[in-house]
């Protein structure tokens, strides 16, 4: 059996949809259980007092990366069949800055905003409404924004190892070391600023 299961025909469209729903519900459940659907907990990161978000996201990245790399080494995953988003340098940088600004101001990222809205938090509902409004405005203005939206195109298969000219295993090691450093550094910051609370 070779992954990805859908592209290799192991599961059909119905199986793909069911798997996506299960993964989505599981992701949302654990975000809520971890307190990451609470804007106060999320914004504590900007006060340097609680880096749960950083640790959760880095853990997810490392686990997924090690899983994919390990499965590829074992011959159970065809990395060439994985979909990679096309890389558009300037709109991606602008989008990252806007998402970061929205996170700082609204207290949520898109995923945590959805979980907060589903659990009935009014600020989460307002945040999600703002996200949908932004999508609508972008769609309506797309013809005007299209030259910028398609600028800085680097290709459809840009990866860190290819971009930096390093072996995939070296990238895996560097990201793991980066995560360890981030965990250590965030722990030091929490020890120093952990008594700070965001203003209600």
């Amino acid at each position: 059996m070779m992954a990805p299961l859908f592209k290799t025909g192991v599961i059909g469209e119905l199986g793909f949809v069911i798997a996506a729903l299960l993964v989505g519900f599981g992701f949302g459940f654990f975000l809520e259980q971890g307190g990451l659907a609470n804007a106060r907990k999320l914004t504590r990161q900007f006060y340097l007092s609680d880096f749960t978000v950083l640790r959760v996201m880095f853990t997810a990245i490392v686990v997924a990366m090690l899983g994919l790399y390990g499965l590829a080494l074992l011959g159970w995953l065809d990395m060439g069949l994985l979909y990679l988003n096309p890389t558009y340098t300037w709109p991606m940088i602008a989008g990252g800055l806007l998402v970061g600004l929205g996170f700082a101001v609204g207290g949520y990222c898109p995923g945590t905003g959805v979980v907060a809205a589903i659990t009935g938090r009014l600020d989460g509902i307002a945040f999600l409404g703002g996200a949908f409004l932004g999508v609508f405005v972008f769609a309506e203005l797309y013809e005007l924004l299209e030259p910028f939206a398609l600028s800085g195109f680097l290709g459809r298969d840009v990866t860190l190892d290819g971009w930096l000219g390093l072996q995939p295993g070296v990238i895996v090691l560097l990201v793991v070391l980066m995560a360890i450093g981030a965990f250590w550094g965030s722990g030091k910051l929490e020890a120093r600023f952990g008594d700070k609370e965001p203003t209600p």
Side-chain angles (χ1 to χ4, degrees), residues 48 51 54-55 181-193:
L48 308 180
F51 284 87
L54 179 141
R55 286 193 284 269
F183 292 169
W184 178 83
S186 63
K188 292 291 187 182
L189 288 171
E190 283 180 344
R192 181 171 181 181
F193 298 104

Side-chain angles (χ1 to χ4, degrees), residues 138 142 173 176 196:
F138 177 78
Y142 182 75
L173 176 62
V176 169
K196 289 191 176 182

Side-chain angles (χ1 to χ4, degrees), residues 86-106:
T87 301
Y88 297 95
T89 308
W90 306 118
M92 285 182 164
I93 290 173
L97 291 172
L98 285 172
V99 168
L101 179 62
F103 198 158
V105 172

Side-chain angles (χ1 to χ4, degrees), residues 12-157:
E13 289 188 8
L14 179 59
F16 176 75
V17 171
I18 291 172
L21 286 172
L22 291 175
V23 170
F25 280 120
F27 181 63
F29 174 79
F30 286 110
L31 280 180
E32 171 62 24
Q33 290 298 302
L36 298 182
N38 184 325
R40 287 180 62 82
K41 185 170 186 66
L42 295 171
T43 54
R44 282 173 60 87
Q45 181 162 275
F46 299 106
Y47 291 82
L48 308 180
S49 60
D50 187 341
F51 284 87
T52 300
V53 175
L54 179 141
R55 286 193 284 269
V56 166
M57 295 311 297
F58 245 132
T59 299
I61 290 168
V62 168
V63 169
M65 180 186 62
L66 290 174
L68 290 172
Y69 186 64
L71 289 172
L73 284 179
L74 291 170
W76 295 349
L77 171 68
D78 184 347
M79 295 287 280
L81 294 179
L82 295 180
Y83 176 77
L84 298 176
N85 284 321
T87 301
Y88 297 95
T89 308
W90 306 118
M92 285 182 164
I93 290 173
L97 291 172
L98 285 172
V99 168
L101 179 62
F103 198 158
V105 172
Y108 293 108
C109 69
T112 56
V114 169
V115 175
I118 292 212
T119 55
R121 290 186 173 91
L122 295 180
D123 57 344
I125 294 170
F127 183 88
L128 197 59
F132 281 124
L133 178 62
V135 170
F136 175 78
V137 170
F138 177 78
E140 291 299 309
L141 298 178
Y142 182 75
E143 287 188 13
L144 179 65
L145 297 173
E146 185 175 23
F148 176 71
L150 300 179
S151 63
F153 180 66
L154 296 182
R156 296 184 177 274
D157 57 354

